[in-house]
Amino acid sequence: MSDNATPPAPADLLAAATRAAAANGVDHPVDIRWVKTDRYSLRRTDGTRPQSNDPVYLIQMTGNFVAYAAKIPPGSKAPRGNALTVTVDANSGQLLGWSVLLEPHDLARFGEVSSLRRES
């Protein structure tokens, strides 16, 4: 992380969520929620092996997603799911990863859940 890193505001989290949703086929995701947690807590959820336990925001939304950017074998169809998660570094706002899921996670197991809403 650089010295110039700025923690993301809710508007930044919403922007990251909507960009990821659009990249996965959904222009208007619904039920956008987030929780502040840490990398180690997400290990069983996202399959990563973080080298440090940095704080992160896990953002989750629902829609009919198609993982267009997923690495898949030639001839295979892109994964599809009803939920999309986005992991954002809590210190810098950097996107760390995303996943298309069949069913949403229970975010409450990671901490206090908050909602993100688009301005009308």
Side-chain angles (χ1 to χ4, degrees):
M1 183 177 89
S2 72
D3 292 337
N4 296 339
T6 302
D12 300 320
L13 298 178
L14 181 59
T18 55
R19 278 192 309 270
N24 288 284
V26 176
D27 289 330
H28 300 288
V30 295
D31 197 26
I32 306 171
R33 299 179 183 275
W34 64 275
V35 62
K36 188 171 183 181
T37 187
D38 56 67
R39 298 292 302 267
Y40 287 169
S41 295
L42 296 181
R43 288 183 296 195
R44 289 192 182 107
T45 302
D46 66 12
T48 60
R49 291 183 243 190
Q51 295 187 13
S52 63
N53 196 26
D54 298 325
V56 296
Y57 294 108
L58 180 64
I59 307 165
Q60 181 172 265
M61 63 213 87
T62 58
N64 293 311
F65 299 100
V66 180
Y68 292 114
K71 295 179 182 177
I72 56 174
S76 296
K77 292 184 178 181
R80 296 173 180 270
N82 298 315
L84 174 71
T85 60
V86 177
T87 305
V88 175
D89 184 280
N91 295 316
S92 69
Q94 177 183 5
L95 176 69
L96 300 174
W98 59 273
S99 295
V100 171
L101 311 166
L102 293 175
E103 297 294 328
H105 293 297
D106 175 9
L107 294 184
R109 69 182 181 161
F110 299 110
E112 185 179 339
V113 180
S114 298
S115 292
L116 290 170
R117 293 186 177 88
R118 288 184 289 275
E119 296 298 320
S120 300

